[in-house]
Amino acid sequence: MDRNEFLAELHVDIENIVLEEGYFISKENERNEYVYVIESGFCSFYRDNHISGFLSDGDMIGIFDILDGEKSTMTIQTLTTVTALRFPKTGAIARMINTPQKSYYFYSRLQRYQQQFIDKSIILTLSANERLTKCLNLIANTHGKSVGRAIMLPKVFTIDIIADYAEIQSERMHYLYKKMIQTGRIKNLDGQLFIIIDN
């Protein structure tokens, strides 16, 4: 089942919306009344003021807190202008899981987000240098584009955003970043980061 089939079978009123950069789609411990499906752009989701992961094309927002009226377990903010489909959450989650095909589609999305939390938790046990390397690899593998012997990261992934995601203090991050540039592990071409693939 693809996304369009999934949405068509929900029988909900879907609205096309555009959200500006910096918009809070949901806030931790507040109720979110809608489900969003990202068509383009990037969002971050975080808890306790640290980025836990990223959402982009095809990802769904509002399905972390499954029950109608349940408070959100995380804050989700747009990192770029985001175009999305939006529909009321009331009753929609129940319809998402009422057939095997729809429930598989729904839970596969939910599982992807949970995996990001698990990956991040494991990474946080490592040294700052290892955390940075692992975080860059995760971002590259999920959101990057292969260009020869490198993976190009979308420009939205700035050094500050990567530092927040890896939970590395700014001063330490800039030291590690310069070291990775010097060793050729990453390249910065006009603000565009490239992760160099090992031979």
Side-chain angles (χ1 to χ4, degrees), residues 141-187:
N141 291 334
T142 307
H143 302 289
K145 178 181 175 184
S146 290
V147 180
R149 288 187 52 251
I151 298 177
M152 180 175 68
L153 300 185
K155 280 195 172 184
V156 68
F157 293 104
T158 64
I159 294 305
D160 290 336
I161 285 176
I162 293 168
D164 188 345
Y165 179 52
E167 296 191 27
I168 298 173
Q169 292 182 346
S170 180
E171 189 175 304
R172 180 70 175 156
M173 177 65 186
H174 286 283
Y175 168 77
L176 292 172
Y177 170 70
K178 285 179 184 176
K179 191 173 177 182
M180 292 183 93
I181 291 276
Q182 290 168 353
T183 59
R185 180 72 180 97
I186 59 174
K187 290 189 179 184

Side-chain angles (χ1 to χ4, degrees), residues 7-198:
L7 293 174
E9 290 191 15
L10 289 180
H11 304 292
V12 292
D13 293 326
I14 297 175
E15 178 185 6
N16 290 287
I17 61 169
V18 177
L19 305 171
E20 297 301 321
E21 179 182 340
Y23 179 82
F24 286 95
I25 296 174
S26 70
K27 291 186 178 180
E28 195 171 350
N29 297 317
E30 293 184 10
R31 288 184 176 87
N32 177 16
E33 305 299 326
Y34 295 97
V35 174
Y36 300 78
V37 181
I38 300 173
E39 294 204 296
S40 67
F42 287 93
C43 299
S44 63
F45 63 88
Y46 53 98
R47 288 178 178 162
D48 302 323
N49 298 317
H50 286 291
I51 295 173
S52 296
F54 304 97
L55 303 171
S56 61
D57 304 7
D59 285 328
M60 298 175 74
I61 298 169
I63 63 171
F64 299 97
D65 29 291
I66 295 175
L67 302 176
D68 288 341
E70 185 179 0
K71 292 181 179 179
S72 181
T73 57
M74 65 192 66
T75 296
I76 300 175
Q77 185 177 19
T78 60
L79 294 174
T80 64
T81 297
V82 168
T83 59
L85 304 174
R86 180 175 75 177
F87 54 89
K89 183 186 288 188
T90 303
I93 301 290
R95 288 192 293 277
M96 286 182 188
I97 58 177
N98 71 358
T99 66
Q101 277 189 315
K102 282 191 277 188
S103 63
Y104 175 77
Y105 183 93
F106 172 76
Y107 282 114
S108 66
R109 297 303 179 274
L110 202 55
Q111 186 177 25
R112 181 175 175 271
Y113 311 142
Q114 294 301 327
Q115 189 61 50
Q116 288 192 57
F117 282 116
I118 293 167
D119 292 342
K120 175 81 183 290
S121 298
I122 292 168
I123 286 170
L124 290 180
T125 65
L126 305 173
S127 69
N129 188 43
E130 291 174 307
R131 281 204 310 272
L132 178 55
T133 299
K134 293 278 188 186
C135 286
L136 284 170
N137 287 337
L138 276 176
I139 293 169
N141 291 334
T142 307
H143 302 289
K145 178 181 175 184
S146 290
V147 180
R149 288 187 52 251
I151 298 177
M152 180 175 68
L153 300 185
K155 280 195 172 184
V156 68
F157 293 104
T158 64
I159 294 305
D160 290 336
I161 285 176
I162 293 168
D164 188 345
Y165 179 52
E167 296 191 27
I168 298 173
Q169 292 182 346
S170 180
E171 189 175 304
R172 180 70 175 156
M173 177 65 186
H174 286 283
Y175 168 77
L176 292 172
Y177 170 70
K178 285 179 184 176
K179 191 173 177 182
M180 292 183 93
I181 291 276
Q182 290 168 353
T183 59
R185 180 72 180 97
I186 59 174
K187 290 189 179 184
N188 186 332
L189 301 175
D190 297 323
Q192 184 82 61
L193 290 181
F194 292 81
I195 311 300
I196 308 306
I197 300 169
D198 295 331

